[in-house]
Each structure stands twice: as structure tokens, then as C-alpha cells.
Amino acid sequence: PPPKPATNTTTKNNDSTINNISAMHLDGLIHVASLTNEELFPVVTGTIRRGCSSKKKGQTPSGDTSSGMEWKGVAAQIAVAAVEGAAGYSPEEWVDRYNEKSSNFDASTSVSFGEALTSLNAQKCYKKRLLNALHAISSIPTPNYSSHISVRQIAGLLRNSTFLAKNSEETMSIQAQLISCLVKLMPQLGMTKPNDIFLAVQLPLLQKLCWNAFVEGGIKFTTAEAEGEFSSILNTIVDRTDNVRGEQVGHKRKRTPPNATTTHNTTISHLLEAADLAREGVVRAKHGAVIYIPTEDGGTQVIGRGYNHDFVLHRSKEAKKNKIVLHSEIHAVVDAIDTYGEDECFNNLFPKATVLIVELVSDYAYDTCHPCPKCNPMLRAVGIRKVIHTTPDGVNAKLNLGAGNIEFLRLEVVSIPLKAACEERELKCKRLQEAGIEY
């Protein structure tokens, strides 16, 4: 199942309740409301199977009174109730309900998981779970708001609001209430920085929301120009006709002249492009990266783009591993080398470059993605010191990796993936060869 949306790490007072709604209850209501129907149903049935089954492998859940299709019938009923928002918000409650129902279950009423799921009124289910969550959220006192709920959780609820009836007043009202929650968590949205919402919630999701939801939810525009800029970003279609999108991984991309397009809305535009790159990946961790440099007119220019993907290594049959995940940073570095040349990148471009890294959470939010223990020395080896990366809170983090050190090319954690990324483009990095790495 998809990961449970992260809660804010701020310490909570376990002795207090929020208008008789415990912190655990609140998290549970938000969690079930942020999953799609297709995600929540197997989460419930899987939890029941794990929580009630015998420790002996292969046996069906609980007790000796329910087996085969019978346990599935009971689990399906509980999952339907959870998806409908009628009852059940935590694994413990799902298991308890199973134990209660399994003793007097009428097998003649049993239906398959597929039949149970398709019989539901999808929009009605989403609306009920969202209203349950909003009712609980409304009980949170403003001074302690960020202690009980996170930006990522609200983004998950916004995702499910897009499954409601389009262009209806009720849908707009629900979305406006959720935007209002974001404004409480990110006060700058209601003051001078409305565009910061794009750092917290993925653009394709925001593009599905009603425009009035932003206004009614408390997004403030101090000038007509600010509103126009917000609208322009909201209607952005990322266009990357001269870079890695669409290329077949493992095939050499035709070298193109440098793209001289200058970008002035730096952080947001680069984040949106890196996020779009991340969606190209077919591995579990959806990371995208862009490398950019400052231009003379005060803007920036992207020189390299990349995303996480697999690459098959050319190794002997005796090798233990013949596949490697090329991280977005390495992919972007080699993309720049392929376009501008190794000497130009190492001598002139990389020392003044910044890499912006994005990690996607499903299709609605962002996660923390500072360079890993492999990419950190790799970036320093090529001379890139400045890093910006996403966080779950809608605030991009900035890092300075320290002085560059080309000797890091000799490290195995650097040389193996960098060499593989060069092989993918049919390149040979002479600096790797000078470091003693054989091709």
C-alpha cells in the first residue's frame, strides 16, 4: 500500500484531546480520507489478514470459524464500511470488527473483493471521508495547529477532493476549507508569498482544483500582477523538447546545442521541471533533478536534467549485480557533460552551478531528498557545491556541500554509478580514466 501521509514531528500532548477527538483518532481519519478508494480497500483487508492470521504460514485469518471465502467476505464488509466512511479509521478497529463479525457471519452474503469495491458509490465515499476529516480538523485550536496536522496530510486530502463532482458548490467548499488549512500551516500564502503553495503541493493536483477554492480558502494576492503570476504558474505546461524527456533509457541522446533560455522565477520553475522529470522514473523513489547556472541578466539557465532509473551494467556472468539505479543527480551531471562537454562542465559550469532535487510523494506532495552518501561525494567530485531540495513542509532546504574534491572520483560509490551513467550515453569520462577507473 502507499505510505501513510507523514504527520508533523512536533511533540504532541498525549494527555489532551481535541474536542474529544484524540490525536490518534485525528490521524486515522485523515489517513483514510487521503487514500483513494482503490488504495484504502486493500489496506483494510490486508491489515485484517495480517492482524488475525495464524503465525503458521499459509493459514487464513482467525479462528477456526472462518476460512477461505468466508474470511474474505467478512473482511470485504469491514473494508466497505471503512471506504464509505461509516466506521473504522484504524488498524486496531478493523481487526476488532473482524473478530466480532467472523463468529456469526452469513456466508451466503459473501462477495469478492472486486465486487464489493465496484458496488460502491465512489464520489459519495470520498465526500463522506473528507467531511469526517474536516470535522475533526475544525476542532484543532489555531495556536496548536501545526502540532496536530501537516502540509503533506492536507495535500493528500486535496488529492481526493478532485474525485468529487466537478464544478459543484459543495466540491468548491471542501477544497476551499482544505486550502484554508494550508494557509494556517503556511501563513505566507495569505500574505506576500501565495506562490509558495507550488513548493508544497504538486502542480498537476493544483491544476485540478476550482479557482474559487484558492480565493475562498485565503490565498491573498497583493497586486494584480501577483495574481497574474500565480495564474500563469498554475497554467504551466512543462516543455522540455531539448532534454532527457522521451529518450529511451540506455540509448544515446542526440547531442543538441546549449539551451540559452533564461528563467527568472528560479526556484518554482526549476522545481516544477524537476518534479516533471521525477514522474519519468520507473523505480520506487521518484526523484528528479535539474542543474542550473546564473546568467548575466540575473536569471538562470538549466544545463543538466535527470531522474532516477535503472541501468543494466555490462558485466560478466560471475558478477553479483548487473543492474544499478542511476540517481537523478548523476543522470543530470552526465546530461550536462553530454551536451556541453566534459572540460567545459568541470572547468566553468559546475563550479558555479546549483542542483535542485525533488522527491515526489505519490501524486500530491513532496518529501525530503538531500543527496545520498553516493551523490554527495559525486557532486563534490565534479565541483557542484550548492544544493536545494524539497521538504514535506513546502519550504525548500539549501545545502552547501563544502569544497570540491576531484579525488572523490576514486571512491567506488562515486566511480561505479558515474561510469554507468556515462556508458548509458556512450561517453567516456577522461577524469575517471585519470583517476584509474578502467573502461
Side-chain angles (χ1 to χ4, degrees):
K4 180 177 179 178
T7 57
N8 195 297
T9 55
T10 306
T11 303
K12 297 178 180 179
N13 183 351
N14 293 325
D15 297 327
S16 66
T17 58
I18 311 167
N19 287 5
N20 299 322
I21 299 176
S22 69
M24 183 177 294
H25 191 167
L26 175 66
D27 283 348
L29 286 170
I30 294 173
H31 180 47
V32 298
S34 64
L35 297 176
T36 66
N37 296 341
E38 291 75 18
E39 290 168 348
L40 178 57
F41 197 95
V43 166
V44 177
T45 55
T47 298
I48 290 172
R49 185 176 183 87
R50 290 189 299 272
C52 301
S53 64
S54 166
K55 293 184 179 179
K56 294 182 180 180
K57 186 176 181 180
Q59 291 192 6
T60 54
S62 99
D64 301 324
T65 61
S66 180
S67 62
M69 287 301 296
E70 291 185 6
W71 88 263
K72 291 185 178 180
V74 180
Q77 286 187 356
I78 297 166
V80 164
V83 172
E84 289 180 333
Y89 62 88
S90 69
E92 294 77 11
E93 184 172 350
W94 299 330
V95 172
D96 288 344
R97 287 177 176 274
Y98 175 85
N99 290 332
E100 293 173 4
K101 287 180 172 290
S102 60
S103 59
N104 56 3
F105 176 67
D106 182 0
S108 64
T109 64
S110 178
V111 295
S112 68
F113 289 168
E115 291 173 328
L117 185 58
T118 55
S119 67
L120 296 171
N121 182 322
Q123 289 188 358
K124 184 178 180 181
C125 293
Y126 284 121
K127 183 174 73 172
K128 176 63 174 176
R129 299 204 308 276
L130 286 168
L131 291 175
N132 287 346
L134 283 168
H135 175 71
I137 292 170
S138 68
S139 303
I140 303 175
T142 301
N144 301 323
Y145 207 75
S146 61
S147 299
H148 296 284
I149 196 167
S150 71
V151 169
R152 186 191 296 180
Q153 287 177 316
I154 298 300
L157 298 178
L158 276 172
R159 187 266 299 261
N160 278 4
S161 75
T162 63
F163 298 125
L164 302 177
K166 306 297 181 183
N167 302 318
S168 76
E169 287 295 322
E170 190 171 34
T171 298
M172 192 280 292
S173 174
I174 289 173
Q175 291 178 353
Q177 291 177 67
L178 293 172
I179 293 295
S180 177
C181 294
L182 271 185
V183 172
K184 290 181 181 179
L185 292 166
M186 301 174 66
Q188 69 272 28
L189 299 180
M191 294 186 289
T192 59
K193 296 183 178 180
N195 294 345
D196 278 8
I197 195 171
F198 299 105
L199 308 181
V201 184
Q202 291 185 38
L203 177 63
L205 168 56
L206 292 173
Q207 291 174 328
K208 296 177 183 178
L209 303 182
C210 305
W211 172 259
N212 285 344
F214 296 108
V215 178
E216 298 295 329
I219 300 291
K220 296 286 175 57
F221 306 109
T222 55
T223 64
E225 289 76 11
E227 182 175 353
E229 183 181 22
F230 184 93
S231 179
S232 177
I233 297 173
L234 190 63
N235 293 310
T236 296
I237 298 176
V238 179
D239 181 15
R240 296 184 281 105
T241 58
D242 63 340
N243 54 47
V244 295
R245 180 168 186 158
E247 74 178 27
Q248 186 173 353
V249 173
H251 285 238
K252 183 175 176 63
R253 178 173 61 91
K254 183 179 180 181
R255 185 162 174 164
T256 59
N259 179 5
T261 301
T262 298
T263 300
H264 291 276
N265 196 353
T266 305
T267 302
I268 292 177
S269 61
H270 293 326
L271 182 145
L272 296 180
E273 182 171 7
D276 201 46
L277 284 161
R279 298 183 187 99
E280 299 291 314
V282 293
V283 295
R284 182 174 181 179
K286 299 287 188 179
H287 288 204
V290 295
I291 301 172
Y292 60 90
I293 58 173
T295 56
E296 294 180 356
D297 62 354
T300 60
Q301 176 186 334
V302 174
I303 61 172
R305 301 163 170 91
Y307 54 89
N308 282 14
H309 62 278
D310 289 331
F311 176 67
V312 178
L313 298 171
H314 301 294
R315 292 191 174 185
S316 64
K317 294 181 180 179
E318 290 77 19
K320 294 182 179 180
K321 186 176 181 181
N322 66 349
K323 186 170 69 172
I324 187 172
V325 176
L326 295 180
H327 290 189
S328 60
E329 300 97 307
I330 294 177
H331 193 201
V333 163
V334 174
D335 181 54
I337 292 173
D338 191 19
T339 302
Y340 294 87
E342 182 180 339
D343 288 340
E344 176 67 10
C345 286
F346 275 79
N347 295 335
N348 300 316
L349 301 181
F350 289 160
K352 61 182 178 182
T354 299
V355 58
L356 189 149
I357 314 164
V358 165
E359 179 176 1
L360 306 182
V361 175
S362 187
D363 57 354
Y364 56 85
Y366 298 105
D367 208 349
T368 300
C369 54
H370 52 76
C372 72
K374 295 179 181 179
C375 292
N376 185 311
M378 183 278 301
L379 291 170
R380 293 180 64 187
V382 303
I384 298 176
R385 301 169 54 187
K386 298 177 183 178
V387 175
I388 298 176
H389 66 80
T390 54
T391 71
D393 302 319
V395 179
N396 285 343
K398 296 182 179 181
L399 302 176
N400 190 320
L401 301 182
N405 190 340
I406 199 167
E407 292 299 314
F408 287 163
L409 290 177
R410 300 181 188 276
L411 298 176
E412 191 175 83
V413 293
V414 174
S415 61
I416 290 178
L418 186 56
K419 178 185 174 183
C422 289
E423 288 179 351
E424 182 182 51
R425 294 293 184 84
E426 299 179 13
L427 299 174
K428 286 190 177 181
C429 178
K430 68 179 182 180
R431 285 169 175 76
L432 278 178
Q433 292 175 310
E434 292 168 357
I437 308 302
E438 297 181 0
Y439 274 83

